[in-house]
Amino acid sequence: MSIILSLETSCDESAAALVSDEKGKIDLIGNEIASQVEEHANWGGVVPEIASRRHLENLPFLIEKVFAKSKLQIKDIDAVAATVTPGLAGSLLVGSITARTLANLHQIPFLGIHHLEGHLSSIYLSANHPKPPFLVLLVSGGHTELIKVDSQHKYQRLGRSHDDAAGEAFDKVARLMGLSYPGGPAIQKIAENGDPKKFLFPKGRVSKPGGGFYPYDFSFSGLKTAVFRQIEKLKSENKNLPIEDIAASFENVVAEVLVERSLRCVLDQGLNSLVLVGGVAANNRLRKMMSSQASQNSIKVALAPMEFCTDNAAMIGAAALLRLSLSDTQSSMELGVSARWPLEKSDLLYDLNPPF
Ligand code: KG4
Ligand code: ZN
């Protein structure tokens, strides 16, 4: 059995978790999160300088708490992991330096984790998770990607957003409607009382240079503009803003686009299994629509457990355990952090000569 202390500080959630694995089954021992969302909400989005300072203040307490609650001590730990890419560089540094310091002091391995591999690994925290090959729809505040997982750690990106990520679209549209940050939960809440068919917003497509469209790619910036224009039109007509209907229609079209393109990709690839992860995977309309339409196409869907959709350290620990169990992998203490790095090259995070 291995026990891992994992840290997540890539954006606006400071988090520490303890996870273990026994005979390939991953167990969560403890999971602590300090969200900075309320503070960033004052600014309408994440302020990088504030985020890194708060990580620095929060992390020692979170680590202390996760050990105290689980009645474990650092001497019981086999490795320490932290997110090292992608994310806000100053924020990533806090988690990465903390993890490397602990690993060095206690002479245990350090593993740098790719944040998207973390999101992908959230599915292994559910009881009946699928095994590769499968297609993953990863929808978060920074990414909207369709990733084919051929075997453990072998990734192929088949689709992506060319502008805003799905979560970013939720956040920006919420702002247009005067709702709080983060926009996803705020829109979901008011959309419950709205008519999802009231407004026909566009399903953004990405044109190919020679004609036609990229079948698995996404574009959400036109949708955001369409919502903006609709709001302006209603205001100019001095009409009351039906924000419930606008929210429901927006949420519905985002879910439709994500579901249609993901299912088409699964079928075209000859797969029969789809995994949904990331902050936007917490959206109820998306979860329901994906499950029902997939079952009509005889596709199995695995939804990341609700509590592990948005950023957390348990998913980083799960990713670390999977790396550790396959080949006793560890990262060099020289591994730094990077704001961007492709998921397809995440094996290089375990190279003796790290890429950053
Ligand atoms: O995965 P995550 O916590 O952070 C990133 O890695 O980006 O995702 C955060 C994003 C935000 O844009 C937030 O608005 C969105 O996920 N989100 C949601 C919901 N909960 C969070 N979007 C739609 N519906 C939700 N229930
Ligand atoms: Zn994330």
Side-chain angles (χ1 to χ4, degrees):
M1 184 175 88
S2 302
I3 303 180
I4 293 212
L5 168 68
S6 52
L7 310 176
E8 159 61 40
T9 60
S10 67
C11 192
D12 56 353
E13 317 280 0
S14 318
L18 288 167
V19 290
S20 69
D21 72 338
E22 185 121 54
K23 295 185 190 126
K25 189 179 161 293
I26 296 178
D27 284 318
L28 181 62
I29 302 172
N31 192 31
E32 297 297 328
I33 299 187
S35 178
Q36 309 173 5
V37 156
E38 275 180 28
E39 187 169 5
H40 293 290
N42 296 327
W43 308 92
V46 180
V47 183
E49 168 65 20
I50 295 180
S52 32
R53 279 198 237 168
R54 295 296 171 260
H55 289 310
L56 204 51
E57 290 162 5
N58 290 335
L59 212 47
F61 294 103
L62 293 169
I63 295 173
E64 222 170 75
K65 205 161 149 190
V66 80
F67 274 117
K69 280 195 188 169
S70 64
K71 302 203 168 48
L72 288 175
Q73 295 175 359
I74 188 96
K75 67 174 173 49
D76 303 316
I77 302 305
D78 299 291
V80 191
T83 308
V84 293
T85 190
L88 303 169
S91 291
L92 290 166
L93 263 181
V94 177
S96 154
I97 290 178
T98 307
R100 278 182 283 163
T101 306
L102 288 172
N104 217 338
L105 278 173
H106 299 278
Q107 290 299 297
I108 48 179
F110 158 68
L111 288 100
I113 302 294
H114 194 292
H115 185 73
L116 300 191
E117 188 168 298
H119 275 300
L120 255 64
S121 305
S122 64
I123 203 66
Y124 297 107
L125 292 161
S126 66
N128 292 316
H129 60 78
K131 291 201 173 80
F134 49 66
L135 186 78
V136 180
L137 171 63
L138 192 160
V139 266
S140 69
H143 295 84
T144 301
E145 306 203 343
L146 282 167
I147 302 159
K148 186 176 174 198
V149 182
D150 289 308
S151 58
Q152 200 78 64
H153 305 129
K154 292 288 161 267
Y155 309 117
Q156 202 186 342
R157 189 173 71 176
L158 300 174
R160 68 184 171 97
S161 174
H162 286 242
D163 39 58
D164 294 344
E168 202 178 349
F170 270 96
D171 296 337
K172 287 180 175 171
V173 165
R175 211 168 161 176
L176 288 178
M177 296 197 293
L179 300 172
S180 59
Y181 171 85
I187 286 184
Q188 170 167 307
K189 191 152 185 278
I190 63 161
E192 278 169 15
N193 302 316
D195 174 2
K197 302 283 176 204
K198 178 85 181 181
F199 298 101
L200 272 184
F201 291 129
K203 294 182 177 178
R205 311 228 56 161
V206 183
S207 308
K208 280 185 183 173
F213 299 101
Y214 289 106
Y216 317 131
D217 283 1
F218 305 93
S219 167
F220 292 108
S221 69
L223 169 59
K224 176 191 63 197
T225 310
V227 175
F228 174 71
R229 291 222 175 97
Q230 185 63 61
I231 292 174
E232 291 300 298
K233 184 168 170 278
L234 291 165
K235 275 188 188 162
S236 73
E237 292 163 358
N238 286 324
K239 289 193 175 144
N240 273 344
L241 273 190
I243 53 169
E244 287 91 354
D245 295 337
I246 298 175
S249 303
F250 163 78
E251 185 185 56
N252 193 56
V253 80
V254 173
E256 278 179 359
V257 162
L258 293 172
V259 170
E260 283 165 14
R261 288 179 207 166
S262 306
L263 296 185
R264 176 164 180 193
C265 188
V266 178
L267 294 170
D268 288 354
Q269 292 294 317
L271 298 167
N272 66 0
S273 180
L274 179 76
V275 167
L276 181 60
V277 300
V280 182
N283 185 269
N284 282 328
R285 194 184 298 269
L286 174 63
R287 291 171 85 90
K288 278 191 198 136
M289 201 186 283
M290 189 69 94
S291 300
S292 83
Q293 295 197 17
S295 79
Q296 287 166 24
N297 286 281
S298 307
I299 295 167
K300 279 180 249 148
V301 172
L303 306 171
M306 271 301 208
E307 69 267 43
F308 305 126
C309 285
T310 46
D311 289 348
N312 64 88
M315 67 185 195
I316 302 303
L321 280 171
L322 289 166
R323 285 280 173 186
L324 204 61
S325 66
L326 279 186
S327 50
D328 217 5
T329 311
Q330 60 177 290
S331 300
S332 158
M333 285 291 180
E334 305 289 315
L335 177 67
V337 300
S338 176
R340 285 167 186 273
W341 187 254
L343 176 66
E344 291 91 330
K345 291 189 180 170
S346 50
D347 281 350
L348 295 182
L349 302 184
Y350 310 99
D351 214 278
L352 273 179
N353 298 305
F356 51 80

